[in-house]
Amino acid sequence: MKPATSPFGQPLDRVDGPLKVTGQAQYAAEFDVPGLLYGSVVNSSIARGRIVSIDASAAEAVPGVQLVLTHQNRPPVASYDKPYEDDDAADGSPFRPLYNDRILYSGQPIALVVADNLELARYAGSLVKVEYEAESHRTDLLSELGSMHKAPAELPPPRGNVEQALQSAAVKVEVQYSTPVEHHNPMEPHASTVHYLPDGTLEIYEKTQGVQNCMRYVENIFDMKGRVRILSPFVGGAFGSGLRPQYQLPLAVMAALKLKRSVRVTLKRQQMFTFGYRPRTVQRLSLGATADGRLQAITHQAIGQTSSFEDFTEHEVEWSGMLYQCANVKLDYQLVPLDVYTPLDMRAPGATIGVFALECAMDELAYAANVDPLALRLVNYSERNGNEDKPYSSKELRQCYEQGAERFGWSRRSMAPRSMREGNQLIGWGMATGVWEAMQMPASAKACLGPDGRLVVSSATSDIGTGTYTVMTQIAAAATGMPMERVEFRLGDSSLSQAPLEGGSATVSSVGSALQQACEALCQKLLDAAQQSPVSPFTGAKLEDVEFADGQMRLKASPETAVALEQVVAVSGVLEAEVSLKPGEKRNGYSTATHSAIFVEVRVDESLGTVKVSRVVSAVAAGRVVNPKTAGNQIAGGVVWGIGQALHEETMIDHKLGRYMNHNLSEYHVPVNADINDIDVFFVEEKDEIVNALGSKGVGEIGIVGVGAAVANAIFHATGKRVRDLPITLDKVL
């Protein structure tokens, strides 16, 4: 049932590329609707306390200002006083903008100024006078470790006798690592354009990773069941920031309902720092091993910050119980509530910082045992997930190690720190392992073939720049034998077939698997339709007897017996099939994961302490790769971000004010072109018939995992100095 040259697995260009490079792709803040008003958010300047008074008279006096919305005059909100649905919510009470006079964190939205244009709204916002009653606040994780409590995470129970194994271990490593707050900073700021229709229903253009999640959110909190449609055809990056509805959405809806007008609210770059982020953490690890480096015990405790109103949790420590073979493991995860906003999933949430600590500790163990870091990982290689005591559905990590090391030239590495140099440049080679869970979520998809011979496939998923449009088109074309140019994939519309949030590297495995089955069901309908005539050459044929290629249906036994698919539809009428799919039961007996091996070369100026990442090799085992080009781009982007994690990124907070200070792209440092050199990404062949029908595991998250550790380990190899506090800036190296 595949064409002779299937588009599946081909490195094809993005089907949406021309729209993006010609500026025709429209984003949430670019849709023009009649009578549109513009909203500008006013944010709090204190971190904790209450609003005593808000004087909006000067703002309201500005010609063109239509409304200043505060907690005192907002419209009724149905579910503000009870829990409401949010697919990515943390345990606790979700933040409710303009709920009351309480200030829970610095930057909290306290008013929305709505005017005829954005410039007026922002100017009028500067005239709003707010009097506060400030209270003492707590924003420093390290100062508040005494108030930590257990995270509501389902950790695997301890196994073995960790204390005894540590005590008897020939080699021990006891270390602490710390990671800072990081913010997502996608190119497109968050925005909501609420189109208020004459019948009182809302059509909302939204920057989101889940249109149906946003739809349910608005329906529930505003009691508008069946009266909301969310559209998000293009998203200019998100990285997790669009998993939850951000506060501009309910503010824009409130204003639209109150004024019975269309309203757009776009956040400024500085306001992108007033909601979720990667949390600051402290991690403590103890590793015990035999003299040759074989692990005997692992303890891993993570302490992360959260807000005062929600307990944000992610998978931070589980990786230490699954990545290597070890009989004695104890994992712990604690949270410290602070007067800050709730953290939010951020690319490879939990793994990015949890694997950083584990892989740095493994490097320290390698030096304590005088074992090559790669050899140490091979000695401790595990074919089973120790947390679940299950075999992997597939695991080609060993091939990642071997092929990655060969391409990098790892065998030429000398073990001793400071032993490799060129002139004033100390050269360091470091490596690390990456891992991410291969998830599949329930999803639905529809396939429809019309008389024009075009195949339209659809699902309410998103494309946050990952290439969803392209890979879904490839999957549909491969399943039906249709040429790519005659296939259209539609997404980003809450009225389409059910889809999960686009995150966790689960979109291809979830939506793609459902789409493939919808196309196969459509092929069955095409065969049934072609058999309606008693003299049909397909009479009696079963689906396995025919093939779909080049827009035709053909008998395998006699390929000259063929009919164009549009001819079938011309007689039968439009044919469509919709499939809802859940993860297969055969997954239950296995652990499913994507793996990688990352090799990094750094050059450190001995006098200045500056670090340059000169080479990276990333070898990835991700099952069957639908499009090596878009997938390779995903991995390369993750590598760049991993370099940023290691050397650049840190959201700095003034704890006296409880406020982020570098809330812009000039002072929040990210890697630029000058920081990035040779990145070699390749995929190791990996077959998996268990993980899902496609055999695909997803690559969005795995690209960043382990990169920061590999950079840190390379810096140690270059300099002999171990920096355990990210980011590794030149002052720490010196």
Side-chain angles (χ1 to χ4, degrees):
M1 286 185 55
K2 295 185 182 122
T5 305
S6 171
F8 201 113
Q10 299 301 312
L12 303 181
D13 292 344
R14 293 171 183 256
V15 298
D16 54 325
L19 290 176
K20 289 184 173 178
V21 299
T22 58
Q24 296 178 75
Q26 284 186 284
Y27 296 82
E30 295 181 323
F31 286 91
D32 189 28
V33 298
L36 185 64
L37 299 174
Y38 297 80
S40 179
V41 179
V42 178
N43 303 84
S44 72
S45 59
I46 66 168
R48 180 182 170 89
R50 57 179 289 270
I51 298 169
V52 175
S53 66
I54 296 180
D55 182 0
S57 56
E60 291 168 334
V62 175
V65 170
Q66 303 292 332
L67 173 69
V68 178
L69 194 67
T70 71
H71 69 280
Q72 296 168 326
N73 66 339
R74 63 166 169 81
V77 182
S79 292
Y80 255 19
D81 295 307
K82 65 181 187 225
Y84 46 87
E85 194 166 356
D86 173 5
D87 290 354
D88 200 54
D91 284 12
S93 301
F95 173 70
R96 297 162 288 184
L98 308 190
Y99 177 54
N100 57 20
D101 62 357
R102 292 296 306 168
I103 299 297
L104 302 175
Y105 69 98
S106 180
Q108 175 179 319
I110 56 173
L112 178 73
V113 180
V114 182
D116 293 345
N117 60 59
L118 182 58
E119 292 76 16
L120 265 181
R122 287 184 174 173
Y123 167 68
S126 70
L127 303 179
V128 176
K129 300 289 188 291
V130 184
E131 183 184 349
Y132 301 100
E133 183 181 289
E135 300 171 5
S136 61
H137 59 263
R138 304 176 304 155
T139 55
D140 186 359
L141 173 69
L142 299 184
S143 299
E144 303 297 331
L145 293 178
S147 62
M148 65 184 180
H149 64 264
K150 205 159 192 63
E154 295 182 8
L155 295 181
R159 59 181 187 259
N161 189 329
V162 174
E163 289 75 15
Q164 183 178 327
L166 275 174
Q167 193 172 357
S168 61
V171 182
K172 297 177 194 174
V173 168
E174 294 184 345
V175 283
Q176 176 172 303
Y177 302 95
S178 56
T179 63
V181 166
E182 297 174 16
H183 276 82
H184 302 75
N185 279 310
M187 288 183 68
E188 179 197 12
H190 279 264
S192 303
T193 300
V194 179
H195 185 192
Y196 187 91
L197 297 169
D199 61 358
T201 60
L202 304 180
E203 196 171 75
I204 305 173
Y205 298 94
E206 177 70 8
K207 191 257 178 65
T208 179
Q209 291 172 250
V211 286
Q212 290 174 331
N213 185 35
C214 287
M215 177 191 70
R216 289 188 293 269
Y217 174 87
V218 174
E219 284 183 341
N220 289 338
I221 69 170
F222 292 101
D223 195 18
M224 296 188 69
K225 189 75 172 174
R227 298 167 59 210
V228 178
R229 183 184 180 192
I230 307 287
L231 298 162
S232 184
F234 294 98
V235 178
F239 313 113
S241 67
L243 290 172
R244 299 187 72 174
Q246 301 303 349
Y247 63 71
Q248 90 287 338
L249 174 58
L251 291 180
V253 172
M254 282 185 209
L257 293 176
K258 192 172 181 71
L259 293 169
K260 294 182 169 51
R261 294 275 303 273
S262 296
V263 176
R264 172 180 295 156
V265 178
T266 305
L267 298 186
K268 296 184 289 186
R269 178 59 59 181
Q270 289 87 343
Q271 291 169 328
M272 296 288 286
F273 288 76
T274 59
F275 51 84
Y277 50 89
R278 199 188 301 281
R280 187 181 185 188
T281 68
V282 173
Q283 298 181 76
R284 299 162 178 163
L285 288 95
S286 297
L287 306 182
T290 59
D292 61 356
R294 197 172 298 276
L295 282 165
Q296 302 295 296
I298 300 174
T299 69
H300 187 171
Q301 181 192 56
I303 306 167
Q305 72 177 55
T306 189
S307 68
S308 61
F309 46 91
E310 287 180 305
D311 276 349
F312 172 79
T313 59
E314 52 189 1
H315 296 291
E316 285 192 22
V317 296
E318 290 93 322
W319 320 102
S320 293
M322 66 181 279
L323 198 47
Y324 301 109
Q325 189 170 324
C326 186
N328 305 285
V329 177
K330 186 177 181 180
L331 308 173
D332 184 37
Y333 185 13
Q334 302 284 328
L335 294 177
V336 176
L338 300 173
D339 297 312
V340 294
Y341 194 79
T342 308
L344 181 62
D345 289 343
M346 187 170 178
R347 197 170 195 169
T352 301
I353 46 186
V355 173
F356 162 76
L358 171 65
E359 288 300 286
C360 286
M362 286 292 286
D363 199 69
E364 299 205 38
L365 180 65
Y367 277 91
N370 196 30
V371 176
D372 176 82
L374 175 55
L376 180 79
R377 286 161 174 83
L378 289 168
V379 162
N380 291 290
Y381 195 88
S382 178
E383 298 290 355
R384 299 176 71 85
N385 179 339
N387 291 339
E388 302 173 346
D389 193 25
K390 292 179 180 179
Y392 286 97
S393 59
S394 62
K395 184 179 180 183
E396 294 295 342
L397 175 57
R398 196 183 296 275
Q399 286 300 311
C400 292
Y401 287 144
E402 293 176 4
Q403 294 179 32
E406 176 67 26
R407 287 171 78 137
F408 186 79
W410 185 261
S411 61
R412 302 194 304 274
R413 178 186 187 268
S414 60
M415 182 73 175
R418 301 181 67 87
S419 59
M420 298 169 65
R421 69 162 61 226
E422 284 184 11
N424 202 41
Q425 300 287 312
L426 297 170
I427 298 175
W429 287 6
M431 61 85 56
T433 309
V435 60
W436 182 255
E437 54 192 324
M439 295 181 286
Q440 184 181 1
M441 309 292 187
S444 302
K446 181 184 284 188
C448 179
L449 188 64
D452 58 356
R454 291 190 62 80
L455 175 66
V456 177
V457 285
S458 59
S459 183
T461 186
S462 302
D463 190 336
I464 58 174
T466 50
T468 308
Y469 276 113
T470 307
V471 296
M472 296 301 168
T473 304
Q474 287 177 259
I475 291 168
T480 59
M482 292 287 286
M484 284 276 292
E485 61 272 15
R486 285 168 58 187
V487 179
E488 178 188 356
F489 181 63
R490 295 176 181 171
L491 54 66
D493 182 340
S494 61
S495 68
L496 298 176
S497 303
Q498 180 271 327
L501 296 170
E502 183 172 61
S505 293
T507 299
V508 169
S509 60
S510 306
V511 178
S513 295
L515 182 61
Q516 184 184 54
Q517 290 200 10
C519 289
E520 290 170 353
L522 178 65
C523 288
Q524 180 65 63
K525 289 190 174 186
L526 283 162
L527 178 58
D528 293 343
Q531 293 172 332
Q532 292 304 306
S533 170
V535 295
S536 168
F538 296 96
T539 300
K542 296 181 179 178
L543 199 57
E544 56 266 27
D545 300 327
V546 301
E547 66 178 359
F548 292 81
D550 305 320
Q552 296 180 324
M553 181 169 57
R554 303 193 283 243
L555 285 174
K556 290 179 180 177
S558 55
E560 67 278 3
T561 304
V563 61
L565 300 186
E566 62 260 39
Q567 287 182 295
V568 179
V569 176
V571 176
S572 68
V574 174
L575 292 175
E576 65 179 34
E578 185 172 16
V579 166
S580 296
L581 187 66
K582 294 181 179 179
E585 290 186 6
K586 61 182 179 181
R587 282 175 57 110
N588 296 340
Y590 296 87
S591 183
T592 57
T594 306
H595 292 90
S596 65
I598 306 100
F599 299 84
V600 167
E601 176 183 273
V602 300
R603 293 170 180 259
V604 183
D605 188 292
E606 193 170 19
S607 302
L608 301 177
T610 53
V611 178
K612 175 183 178 181
V613 177
S614 47
R615 281 196 303 136
V616 180
V617 172
S618 179
V620 183
R624 194 177 179 204
V625 178
V626 179
N627 185 325
K629 184 175 185 177
T630 56
N633 290 342
Q634 284 292 291
I635 301 298
V639 168
V640 171
W641 201 344
I643 293 170
Q645 177 201 16
L647 302 178
H648 300 274
E649 291 196 52
E650 179 180 14
T651 311
M652 299 178 180
I653 190 167
D654 182 330
H655 294 298
K656 289 183 179 179
L657 299 173
R659 187 186 313 160
Y660 295 123
M661 305 305 291
N662 58 332
H663 56 311
N664 54 66
L665 289 182
S666 62
E667 295 170 303
Y668 182 92
H669 291 175
V670 296
V672 296
N673 284 345
D675 297 307
I676 303 304
N677 294 284
D678 185 41
I679 298 176
D680 179 14
V681 172
F682 70 98
F683 295 98
V684 169
E685 185 176 346
E686 183 176 61
K687 295 181 180 178
D688 196 321
E689 297 179 354
I690 295 164
V691 66
N692 53 59
L694 295 170
S696 179
K697 294 182 174 180
V699 296
E701 317 286 359
I702 187 71
I704 189 176
V705 184
V707 177
V711 173
N713 295 338
I715 290 172
F716 171 76
H717 182 237
T719 65
K721 179 159 187 178
R722 185 73 68 175
V723 181
R724 301 185 180 95
D725 174 41
L726 291 183
I728 303 173
T729 47
L730 61 87
D731 55 310
K732 296 173 185 175
V733 175
L734 287 173

